[in-house]
C-alpha cells in the first residue's frame, strides 16, 4: 500500500485523516499521523476553558479514539527531505529515527509568534493549547486566594493584575472571558473589590479584532473599558522582567499573570528543516488545489493545508491574497485535502479550495458576544448564543458535543466551577514533602 504521511494532528491534519479513513478502499493506502500530542485541540473553546465554562478535556478530541484505522505516531517531525521522501521523527522516548512515505500532507499548524522582549520567556504563558488555558485559569484562582489574605498594597495589586499581549480573536476572547470570570469571582471574595483588579490589553496596531470592521472593533474596546479594563492601542511591550511590565507608551506596572497571544508564526520545521518551498514568512507555498508548489511548478506527492500553508484565497477580491489562518479555513481545507488526495490516488485532477467566509463571531464574556457577516453586525446576548450554537455544532464527534452541552446546562443552574487545581502542575510536591519529613524524623530517631 502507498503510505500517506500526515504531519500534525491539528484541525487540518485531523480532518484529513478522518475523511480519508471513511473514504479509502481496503488496501488502497495506509494513513500515518505524526503528532507529539494525542489529541486535537478545539481552539475556539480555549477562552471558555480559561473562564471555566468548558472542561479542559472537552476541548480536546482524542486522535486514538476517533482515528481507528490510522497509524498514530507520538512524536515530532524535526525534518522533511522530500527528495528521498523521508522524515525525521523525534519520539517522546528514545532516539530520533526516519520514516519513509509515498505522499506527504504537511499540516503542522503554527506556533505563537514571539519577540525578544526581556522577561517574556520567563514570565509569560501562551494560549494555544489546553494545558495553557487551564494554567491561566488556575493562576487567576490562586491569585485571588492569595490576595484575599493580604492587606491592600503593591503585592495584592500585582497578584490581581492581568496583562494580555495581542488583540486578535484569541487574545480578545481570552481577555474578555478572564475579565468576566474575575469580576464574577469578586462575589465570592468579600475581602476584595473591583478597585483591586487591573486588566491590561496591549495591541501593537491601532485597533483590535482585525477581522471585523472599525465600528464593531471600537464597540468592543468601549465594552472592555466599561468593565474596567485598560486597552493600550499602538503600543508594544518593552520588557516584563520579574513581572514588571514596561510599555512603549510609558506605562509601567507589576503584573502576576502575563498572557502572550501576539499572532502566529511558521514552525521551525518549515523555516529551517525541509527542502519543500516556502515563502518569506516561512509558510509552505501551496497552490489553490493544496498541492505544494506554484502556478507553474508542482511538487509531486506533496500537499499542505492549515495555518502552516500559504493557500491562495480565490474568494478574496484582493489579487494575491492568502486564506486567513483560522478554524473555518483549517477544517475546510482538511476536508478538501482528503478529497483531493483520493482524487489523485484514483487518477483524477484535484479541485481548488474555495471558501466564502461565513462571518466572524467572538465571545466577550458570559452572555456577551459579537458577530459580523459583511455589513450585518449583531452584538450582545444573541451573538453570544450564536457563538455557542455554532461551536457546539462545529466541534467534532457527538461525544464532545454532548459533554459540552451538559457542562453548559449544569453551569446555567449552578454557575461556573471556581475550584483551582494549580497543584496538578506539581502533583508530587505534597507527597515529596511528607516523605522528606519522614526520612529526617527517622534519621534523628536513629
Amino acid at each position: 500500500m502507498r503510505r500517506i504521511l500526515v504531519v500534525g494532528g491539528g484541525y487540518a491534519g485531523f480532518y484529513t485523516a478522518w475523511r480519508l479513513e471513511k473514504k479509502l478502499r481496503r488496501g488502497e493506502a495506509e494513513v500515518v499521523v505524526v503528532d507529539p500530542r494525542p489529541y486535537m485541540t478545539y481552539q475556539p473553546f480555549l477562552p471558555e476553558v480559561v473562564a471555566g465554562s468548558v472542561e479542559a478535556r472537552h476541548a480536546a478530541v482524542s486522535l486514538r479514539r476517533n482515528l481507528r484505522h490510522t497509524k498514530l505516531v507520538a512524536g515530532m517531525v524535526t525534518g522533511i527531505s522530500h527528495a528521498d521522501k523521508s522524515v525525521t521523527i523525534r519520539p517522546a522516548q528514545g532516539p530520533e529515527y526516519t520514516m519513509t512515505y509515498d505522499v506527504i500532507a504537511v499540516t503542522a499548524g503554527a506556533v505563537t509568534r514571539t519577540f525578544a522582549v526581556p522577561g517574556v520567556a520567563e514570565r509569560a504563558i501562551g494560549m494555544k493549547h489546553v494545558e495553557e488555558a487551564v494554567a491561566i485559569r488556575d493562576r487567576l484562582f490562586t491569585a485571588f486566594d492569595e490576595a484575599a489574605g493580604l492587606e491592600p498594597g503593591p503585592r495584592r495589586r500585582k497578584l490581581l493584575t492581568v496583562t494580555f499581549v495581542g488583540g486578535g480573536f484569541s487574545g480578545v476572547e481570552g481577555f474578555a472571558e478572564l475579565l468576566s470570570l474575575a469580576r464574577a469571582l469578586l462575589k465570592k471574595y468579600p475581602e476584595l473589590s473591583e478597585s483591586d483588579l487591573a486588566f491590561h490589553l496591549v495591541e501593537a496596531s491601532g485597533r483590535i479584532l482585525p477581522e471585523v470592521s472599525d465600528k464593531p472593533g471600537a464597540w468592543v474596546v468601549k465594552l472592555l473599558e466599561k468593565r474596567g479594563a485598560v486597552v493600550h492601542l499602538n503600543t508594544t511591550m518593552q520588557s516584563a522582567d520579574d513581572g514588571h511590565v514596561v510599555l512603549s507608551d510609558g506605562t509601567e506596572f507589576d503584573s502576576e499573570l502575563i498572557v502572550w497571544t501576539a499572532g502566529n508564526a511558521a514552525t521551525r520545521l518549515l523555516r529551517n528543516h525541509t527542502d519543500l518551498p516556502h515563502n518569506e514568512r516561512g509558510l509552505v507555498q501551496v497552490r489553490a488545489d493544496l498541492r505544494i508548489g506554484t502556478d507553474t511548478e508542482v511538487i509531486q506527492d506533496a500537499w499542505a493545508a492549515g495555518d502552516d500553508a500559504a493557500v491562495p484565497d480565490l474568494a478574496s477580491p484582493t489579487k494575491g491574497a492568502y486564506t486567513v489562518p483560522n478554524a473555518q479555513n483549517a477544517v475546510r481545507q482538511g476536508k478538501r485535502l482528503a478529497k483531493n488526495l483520493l482524487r489523485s490516488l484514483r487518477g483524477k485532477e484535484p479541485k481548488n479550495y474555495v471558501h466564502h467566509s461565513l462571518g466572524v463571531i467572538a465571545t466577550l464574556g458570559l452572555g456577551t458576544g459579537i458577530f459580523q457577516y459583511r455589513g450585518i453586525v449583531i452584538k450582545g446576548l444573541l451573538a453570544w448564543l450564536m457563538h455557542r450554537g455554532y461551536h457546539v455544532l462545529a466541534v467534532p464527534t457527538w461525544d464532545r458535543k454532548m459533554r459540552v452541552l451538559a457542562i453548559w446546562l449544569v453551569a446555567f443552574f449552578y454557575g461556573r466551577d471556581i475550584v483551582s487545581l494549580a497543584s496538578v502542575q506539581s502533583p508530587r510536591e505534597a507527597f515529596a514533602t511528607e516523605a522528606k519529613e519522614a526520612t529526617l524524623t527517622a534519621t534523628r530517631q536513629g
Side-chain angles (χ1 to χ4, degrees):
M1 288 189 295
R2 303 191 76 190
R3 174 179 288 168
I4 301 173
L5 180 65
V6 181
V7 180
Y11 279 119
F14 174 80
Y15 276 94
T16 297
W18 206 24
R19 284 299 177 97
L20 285 173
E21 277 198 353
K22 296 177 180 178
K23 300 297 182 180
L24 280 170
R25 299 164 185 156
R26 185 181 297 274
E28 188 172 18
E30 173 193 30
V31 181
V32 179
V33 173
V34 184
D35 196 282
R37 286 181 169 81
Y39 57 82
M40 182 206 82
T41 302
Y42 190 72
Q43 290 187 358
F45 276 157
L46 292 188
E48 296 212 47
V49 172
V50 165
S53 299
V54 170
E55 285 296 319
R57 285 185 175 84
H58 300 168
V61 179
S62 170
L63 299 180
R64 195 163 294 277
R65 179 172 182 173
N66 294 287
L67 300 179
R68 299 176 184 176
H69 305 293
T70 296
K71 180 179 179 180
L72 300 174
V73 177
M76 179 179 293
V77 173
T78 59
I80 301 174
S81 176
H82 192 63
D84 55 11
K85 292 191 174 180
S86 69
V87 297
T88 303
I89 298 174
R90 181 186 299 155
Q93 299 289 333
E96 290 188 348
Y97 62 93
T98 61
M99 177 182 288
T100 59
Y101 60 82
D102 297 291
V103 180
I104 191 168
V106 182
T107 58
V111 296
T112 302
R113 182 178 59 184
T114 56
F115 305 96
V117 178
V120 165
E122 296 77 18
R123 297 287 306 189
I125 184 171
M127 203 182 77
K128 204 168 185 64
H129 303 290
V130 173
E131 302 94 328
E132 294 171 322
V134 172
I136 292 168
R137 181 188 66 195
D138 285 343
R139 288 184 187 185
L140 183 73
F141 288 152
T142 300
F144 265 76
D145 288 333
E146 293 177 1
L150 297 174
E151 294 296 323
R155 178 57 186 159
R156 187 159 95 170
R157 183 72 174 177
K158 180 179 181 180
L159 283 168
L160 298 179
T161 298
V162 176
T163 307
F164 271 64
V165 181
F169 261 77
S170 176
V172 170
E173 286 188 305
F175 182 80
E177 286 286 349
L178 199 64
L179 176 58
S180 173
L181 174 62
R183 287 165 58 88
L185 283 175
L186 290 174
K187 299 175 184 178
K188 307 294 182 182
Y189 290 84
E191 306 92 336
L192 305 175
S193 65
E194 281 194 31
S195 62
D196 293 312
L197 293 179
F199 273 68
H200 296 265
L201 176 62
V202 183
E203 169 53 40
S205 69
R207 50 167 299 177
I208 62 173
L209 298 178
E211 292 88 347
V212 304
S213 54
D214 290 342
K215 286 186 178 179
W219 176 82
V220 175
V221 171
K222 291 180 181 178
L223 174 71
L224 295 175
E225 291 176 339
K226 185 177 179 181
R227 293 177 180 175
V230 180
V231 180
H232 304 266
L233 299 178
N234 296 309
T235 305
T236 58
M237 179 179 283
Q238 301 296 294
S239 68
D241 285 323
D242 197 30
H244 182 71
V245 174
V246 179
L247 303 181
S248 62
D249 64 1
T251 305
E252 295 188 32
F253 53 87
D254 291 330
S255 180
E256 184 69 19
L257 178 57
I258 301 172
V259 183
W260 190 274
T261 60
N264 294 327
T267 64
R268 288 188 296 274
L269 165 68
L270 300 178
R271 293 196 302 265
N272 306 313
H273 304 289
T274 179
D275 56 357
L276 294 171
H278 51 78
N279 65 12
E280 65 281 357
R281 294 173 53 202
L283 302 177
V284 180
Q285 190 64 54
V286 178
R287 294 161 51 92
D289 58 14
L290 304 182
R291 287 183 291 180
I292 296 176
T294 64
D295 290 339
T296 58
E297 181 184 6
V298 177
I299 307 298
Q300 294 298 323
D301 299 323
W303 307 71
D307 291 354
D308 63 359
V311 180
D313 188 355
L314 300 185
S316 172
T318 305
K319 186 177 180 180
Y322 294 114
T323 57
V324 177
N326 60 19
Q328 273 190 45
N329 281 313
V331 169
R332 286 162 178 80
Q333 285 173 13
K335 294 177 179 178
R336 169 48 56 194
L337 178 51
K339 292 176 182 178
N340 280 353
L341 281 168
L342 288 168
R343 293 181 66 86
S344 178
L345 286 173
R346 295 165 186 174
K348 299 179 181 179
E349 283 296 310
K351 294 184 178 181
N352 287 342
Y353 171 75
V354 184
H355 171 60
H356 297 276
S357 175
L358 303 176
V360 291
I361 193 165
T363 175
L364 301 172
L366 204 61
T368 307
I370 186 167
F371 167 81
Q372 181 173 11
Y373 176 69
R374 297 182 179 177
I376 302 172
V377 178
I378 299 174
K379 308 170 186 174
L381 178 61
L382 178 57
W384 179 77
L385 292 172
M386 291 169 63
H387 177 274
R388 286 203 159 184
Y390 171 79
H391 284 299
V392 80
L393 290 174
V395 66
T397 79
W398 281 101
D399 161 59
R400 284 296 175 262
K401 297 180 198 296
M402 292 299 102
R403 291 179 188 275
V404 170
L405 280 173
I407 289 295
W408 284 344
L409 183 62
V410 171
F412 178 79
F413 290 104
Y414 298 105
R416 291 180 287 202
D417 198 330
I418 63 170
V419 175
S420 171
L421 294 177
S423 59
V424 167
Q425 297 167 43
S426 52
R428 292 191 65 255
E429 186 174 343
F431 174 80
T433 300
E434 291 300 320
K436 289 177 182 178
E437 289 293 329
T439 300
L440 289 173
T441 300
T443 301
R444 287 194 295 266
Q445 293 176 348

